[in-house]
Amino acid sequence: MLLGPLLLSLWTLQASAVTLYVATYAGYITSLKLTRQGTTFKLTNLSSTAYSAPSPSWLTLDKSRRLLYAVDEGAYGTNGSFSSYRTGRNGTLAPLHRINTTFGPVDAAIFGPDPHARYAALPIYGSAGLQTYLLDNAGAMTLKQNLTFTLPAPGPKAAQSVSRPHGVTKDPTGRYLVVPDLGADLLRVYSLGSHSNNTYLPTNSTARAAFYPVNSTATNSTKNLIELPSIKLPPGSGPRHAAFSPIRTFASSTNLTATLYVVSELSSTLTTFTAHYLPGRISFTPLDTTPTYPPGTKAPASIAAAEVAVSPDGRFVVVSNRNDSAFSIPNSDPANTTAEASDSLISYKLEERTGKPIFDQFAPAGGLFPRMFRFDRLGTRIAVGCQTSNRTVILERDNVSGKIGKVLASYKMEGPVGCVIWDE
């Protein structure tokens, strides 16, 4: 009878110190430690490295290999870079490898279940392309594919003169990638070319069969991406990032679906699609489009939606808005009584069967220009990278009601924050 409380106590003790990694446009990747004593949270600096300078803007963690990957936009040069680090148990980062990319990579997704061969896909915003890399156990990267995109004609917005892939997200089966192209108003969809990953497959044998293609490409040893039909968004949308819900299965049906949420920067909208898993393929049908602002209110013309993420339990989706200054919050300096402006997060509760987002809460992001954010493993905290505030912020969140609460801790970085992720 004492085992349960003892394990809970040990888990609480372990969870009281958590590591986060932060990339800033000042050229540094910093390890922060979040600690808790009673009701007080604190962020402290563990280590910092400039190995990915000058402009690291995105981080991706391969936790099972203890490898951290960083993409550097190369904002002050003619090329970007892709680098790797070994993560230490005390938060230290040991640089391993760095290679040049074409100019302007902005994101990275790791795919491939083979323990001896994993891959990464990098959308190249600055050079209108998509690159894939082979990743080995030692952190070395080898270029596999270099795709470039062209537009038949410029889009209606100034940022749409060329193709601008801005994000990449893996579907919940691990078999497909979606790449939002801000310049083209497209979601570019790819099959990963290998069908050996059963991690996310349901146990129902009939449902499982839907994941196996009629013409299997399991022998494709190069793991090249296979282009599928793109999804068109309304002109001027500017899709930026996307996130999937978990797979949905119901006892009354063998059909498998997931929901895809796409945040568009130029229109500040959240567009939702139902992903249908059919024998050997995936298809998408539109479900909903909603502004990233509360119903009955008018968003300022300056607003630019940035990030979208689904809560760990799959019941909520949250979007960040930049440049709306919708809130006044207590100053991050306890000695300063002057309130600070904060941009916003908007949270939607998801319909259980369809995944359609229903407005639930409008909350302060904890600073300005929340370029990206991430839930912790349990959904009880949100780490926010407030770009122009030069600040990493930890927000409290009730993972039952989904309500976002106060700032628990914040840390002033050495420059604009591009990315923050958890290592739990």
Side-chain angles (χ1 to χ4, degrees), residues 321-336:
N321 290 308
R322 297 169 295 173
N323 210 33
D324 67 340
S325 297
F327 296 92
S328 292
I329 60 174
N331 200 290
S332 57
D333 179 0
N336 191 333

Side-chain angles (χ1 to χ4, degrees), residues 255-280:
N255 295 328
L256 304 179
T257 65
T259 309
L260 174 65
Y261 303 94
V262 181
V263 63
S264 292
E265 174 180 335
L266 303 182
S267 61
S268 290
T269 53
L270 178 65
T271 303
T272 308
F273 298 87
T274 301
H276 303 273
Y277 292 94
L278 306 171

